[in-house]
């Protein structure tokens, strides 16, 4: 049972990715809420942090379910442009 | 800083000041709208009932400023917060109430109450001087900010608008006229608008709401060297001008959640800060389906260049600044609405039901 759990955890970790996206147009605190809500709606996204001081969105996601293009598309749906920086 | 145990039982902590307006009751000046100099007094109640969760909740609540036209008689607050205090230790001397709830608080309630007395603002333009020697504290409002910048493009644009004007007063009038003529109220804009003057002018997107209109007015003035500022506040009661500018029931009671309104001021030597409200000209024009040729709009644009009807309380002049205590997200565009965070998530101040805050006002006759 323990081995199964470890295997499951490793499998999940293999597909868990993190990406940092610069959103230059972000100009006020409410932008962070709008962008965060849009990204969170994408199936496969597990965690989102959006910071106005650095104008970045850090997104954790499961790459078997979602890719970066989907995340950028979600940002674009809020009228902002995202650019992957890491 | 104060302890939760104290605040839970202390219902009222606040400021009490005497009211001594500089021009008390003597003037019964009339105008096309029947507005008089008689002071108006209001009691305002601002309540919060925030979501409870495993995050730390923080609130920065704008409070009314004291000035020659507006005196705060008393501010009180109570709730079940873990920490709360009133401070004006913020850029632009912005007065606010800060409140904080630790994570897993069972309830997050706060009630802020203030009594305020105000008097209609009116200036006599014959006292304006042509000097541009401004006091040091006024020079602050010649500087650009992120949303109201000083740029070569904006300066050139503002100079074109004022090319036939000689004095600061004539320049201010030309910019006011341009703003009223060219900007229009766009009801689809959320809240009071972002107030990004540079974007509005660069992209020729002249639709907006009060912060948008005021910001353009302010930015253009600053770009021709006239100190100017947006003034963020909230409508409190009935307007003599139009329902669009404020309303209340027969007893003077008003639900004013969402009544935030941004006005503007510019500085003329000899007069000091001059009130203006180009945004409400555009609002009345739109909501009453009038045109610039209508007498009411002609009267209104004349009135709102040098006058404010005081059924509205001013909060602050702050733009593009970092709040103190420092939030997770910054800088803040403006503080006309309560600002709140759950850890580093911003509460949507344009959605009071979701945020869970409300405002009411009672005029005291």
């Amino acid at each position: 049972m323990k081995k199964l759990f470890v295997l499951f955890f490793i499998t999940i970790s293999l597909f868990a990715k993190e990406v940092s996206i610069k959103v230059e147009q972000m100009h006020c605190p409410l932008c962070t809420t709008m962008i965060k809500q849009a990204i969170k709606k994408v199936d496969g996204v597990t965690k989102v942090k959006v910071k106005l001081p650095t104008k970045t969105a850090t997104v954790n996601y499961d790459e078997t379910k979602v890719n970066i293009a989907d995340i950028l598309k979600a940002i674009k749906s809020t009228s902002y442009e995202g650019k992957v920086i890491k | 800083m104060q302890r939760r145990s104290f605040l839970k039982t202390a219902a009222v902590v606040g400021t009490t000041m005497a009211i001594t307006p500089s021009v008390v009751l003597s003037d019964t000046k009339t105008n096309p709208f029947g507005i008089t100099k008689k002071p108006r007094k209001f009691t305002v109640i601002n309540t919060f009932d925030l979501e409870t969760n495993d995050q730390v909740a923080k609130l920065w609540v704008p409070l009314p400023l004291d000035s020659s036209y507006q005196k705060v008689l008393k501010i009180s607050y109570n709730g079940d917060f873990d920490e709360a205090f009133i401070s004006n230790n913020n850029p632009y001397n912005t007065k606010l109430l800060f409140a904080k709830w630790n994570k897993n608080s069972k309830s997050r309630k706060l009630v802020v109450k203030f009594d305020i007395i105000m008097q209609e603002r009116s200036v006599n333009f014959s006292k304006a001087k042509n000097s541009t020697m401004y006091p040091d504290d006024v020079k602050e409002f010649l500087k650009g900010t992120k949303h109201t910048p000083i740029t070569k493009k904006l300066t050139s644009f503002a100079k074109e608008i004022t090319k036939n004007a000689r004095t600061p007063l004539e320049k201010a009038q030309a910019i006011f006229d341009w703003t009223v003529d060219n900007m229009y109220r766009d009801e689809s804009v959320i809240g009071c608008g972002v107030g990004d003057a540079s974007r509005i002018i660069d992209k020729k997107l002249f639709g907006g709401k009060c912060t948008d209109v005021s910001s353009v007015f302010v930015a253009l003035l600053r770009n021709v060297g006239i100190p100017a500022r947006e003034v963020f506040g909230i409508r409190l009661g009935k307007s003599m001008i139009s329902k669009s500018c404020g309303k209340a029931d027969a007893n003077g009671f008003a639900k004013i959640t969402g009544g935030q309104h941004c006005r503007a001021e510019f500085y003329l030597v000899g007069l000091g800060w001059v009130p203006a409200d180009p945004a409400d000209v555009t609002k009345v024009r739109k909501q009453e389906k009038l045109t610039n040729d209508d007498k009411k709009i002609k009267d209104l644009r004349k009135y709102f260049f040098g006058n404010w009807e005081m059924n509205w309380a001013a909060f602050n002049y702050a733009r593009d600044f970092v709040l103190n205590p420092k939030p997770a997200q910054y800088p803040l565009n403006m503080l006309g609405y309560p600002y709140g965070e759950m850890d580093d998530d911003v509460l949507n101040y344009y959605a009071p039901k979701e945020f869970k805050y409300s405002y009411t006002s009672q005029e005291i006759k």
Side-chain angles (χ1 to χ4, degrees):
Chain A
M1 185 65 182
K2 194 176 174 183
K3 278 183 183 173
L4 261 178
F5 179 76
V6 170
L7 186 63
F8 175 74
F9 184 76
I10 290 170
T11 308
I12 292 291
S13 300
L14 277 175
F15 298 116
K17 298 286 177 186
E18 181 177 290
V19 63
S20 291
I21 300 167
K22 192 88 173 171
V23 188
E24 272 300 339
Q25 301 154 297
M26 211 189 303
H27 60 86
C28 72
L30 265 191
C31 300
T32 64
T33 302
M34 285 170 60
I35 292 165
K36 185 172 183 174
Q37 285 175 350
I39 298 172
K40 272 172 83 176
K41 280 183 191 166
V42 179
D43 188 31
V45 167
T46 53
K47 192 177 167 189
V48 187
K49 275 204 164 220
V50 183
K51 296 198 168 200
L52 179 61
T54 54
K55 296 190 175 185
T56 54
T58 307
V59 185
N60 295 82
Y61 63 101
D62 176 349
E63 69 171 352
T64 63
K65 293 181 178 172
V66 63
N67 58 42
I68 292 171
D70 295 325
I71 296 165
L72 293 176
K73 198 174 163 187
I75 294 172
K76 200 163 188 176
S77 73
T78 61
S79 303
Y80 296 89
E81 290 283 348
K83 191 177 171 187
V84 175
I85 52 172
K86 201 165 71 178
Chain B
M1 310 278 172
Q2 301 178 40
R3 292 178 63 84
R4 182 188 184 111
S5 55
F6 170 73
L7 290 163
K8 271 184 156 177
T9 53
V12 178
V13 182
T15 311
T16 305
M17 293 176 201
I19 168 74
T20 49
S22 54
V23 274
V24 185
L25 288 172
S26 55
D27 190 349
T28 53
K29 172 180 173 280
T30 57
N31 49 60
F33 309 103
I35 299 165
T36 71
K37 284 273 187 185
K38 187 181 176 187
R40 296 176 74 173
K41 186 179 172 187
F42 297 88
T43 295
V44 178
I45 298 174
N46 178 199
T47 62
F48 296 85
D49 184 4
L50 304 184
E51 181 189 338
T52 54
N53 52 31
D54 61 356
Q55 295 174 306
V56 173
K58 293 178 184 174
L59 274 183
W60 292 257
V61 183
L63 296 175
L65 54 82
D66 279 299
S67 67
S68 61
Y69 59 86
Q70 168 180 301
K71 292 287 178 192
V72 181
L73 302 179
K74 189 170 78 176
I75 298 176
S76 64
Y77 61 94
N78 61 68
D80 50 13
F81 37 76
D82 290 280
E83 181 185 336
F85 58 87
I86 289 174
S87 163
N88 60 355
N89 181 22
N90 266 288
Y92 300 91
N93 203 30
T94 298
K95 184 157 64 174
L96 56 80
L97 168 65
F98 173 76
K100 179 184 169 189
W101 290 262
N102 293 335
K103 58 184 180 181
N104 298 319
S105 311
K106 286 180 183 169
S107 156
R108 288 169 173 173
K109 289 186 168 58
L110 171 67
V111 179
V112 187
K113 185 176 173 184
F114 61 85
D115 291 340
I116 189 167
I117 188 164
M118 59 258 289
Q119 188 170 40
E120 190 213 1
R121 292 188 73 186
S122 188
V123 299
N124 179 353
F125 283 116
S126 69
K127 293 180 181 174
K129 295 184 174 149
N130 295 339
S131 168
T132 53
M133 299 290 286
Y134 301 115
D136 284 345
D137 62 327
V138 170
K139 287 178 185 167
E140 170 78 15
F141 299 97
L142 279 169
K143 295 176 191 165
T145 75
K146 164 98 179 139
H147 288 93
T148 53
I150 308 288
T151 66
K152 278 186 183 174
K153 199 172 175 182
L154 284 182
T155 299
S156 167
F157 190 74
K159 281 185 174 172
E160 178 62 24
I161 291 168
T162 56
K163 65 183 176 188
N164 296 322
R166 291 170 298 113
T167 66
L169 173 57
E170 287 175 1
K171 288 178 184 175
Q173 181 74 66
I175 288 171
F176 181 86
D177 289 342
W178 183 90
T179 306
V180 170
D181 286 341
N182 289 279
M183 293 203 72
Y184 62 92
R185 185 174 173 85
D186 180 350
E187 299 290 359
S188 70
V189 167
I190 297 168
C192 293
V194 170
D196 190 344
S198 183
R199 183 172 179 273
I200 289 168
I201 296 169
D202 282 350
K203 300 206 168 195
K204 294 186 168 56
L205 299 169
F206 297 135
K209 283 196 181 160
C210 51
T211 302
D212 301 313
V213 177
S214 297
S215 299
V216 167
F217 179 58
V218 164
L220 291 173
L221 285 162
R222 289 186 188 184
N223 273 276
V224 291
I226 298 174
R229 58 195 184 190
E230 300 91 335
V231 193
F232 298 93
I234 191 163
R235 300 182 201 273
L236 299 185
K238 187 182 175 184
S239 166
M240 298 288 283
I241 294 168
S242 166
K243 282 182 182 173
S244 301
C245 302
K247 53 192 174 185
D249 70 14
N251 298 315
F253 176 80
K255 291 179 181 176
I256 56 168
T257 311
Q260 285 81 2
H261 176 50
C262 175
R263 289 176 160 175
E265 290 179 326
F266 58 96
Y267 192 93
L268 292 179
V269 175
L271 285 178
W273 287 106
V274 177
D277 193 344
D280 263 358
V281 180
T282 67
K283 187 177 187 186
V284 173
R285 186 174 61 202
K286 170 80 176 181
Q287 295 192 343
E288 295 194 11
K289 296 183 174 67
L290 302 174
T291 67
N292 282 337
D293 294 329
D294 190 279
K295 185 181 181 302
K296 182 168 185 177
I297 294 301
K298 284 180 181 171
D299 287 341
L300 195 54
R301 61 192 292 164
K302 194 174 173 187
Y303 175 78
F304 272 140
F305 185 76
N307 299 278
W308 279 353
E309 182 188 20
M310 289 311 292
N311 60 338
W312 167 91
F315 289 151
N316 60 69
Y317 321 109
R319 286 304 308 261
D320 303 311
F321 70 115
V322 181
L323 285 162
N324 178 33
K326 197 173 186 177
Q329 309 291 358
Y330 58 86
L332 186 64
N333 179 13
M334 46 92 179
L335 188 68
Y337 295 78
Y339 179 73
E341 290 183 349
M342 297 277 186
D343 285 349
D344 54 3
D345 287 343
V346 178
L347 301 177
N348 184 355
Y349 45 80
Y350 288 138
K353 281 186 183 169
E354 179 190 312
F355 190 124
K356 289 193 179 172
Y357 73 84
S358 69
Y359 281 94
T360 63
S361 167
Q362 176 64 58
E363 184 160 9
I364 313 297
K365 300 282 184 182

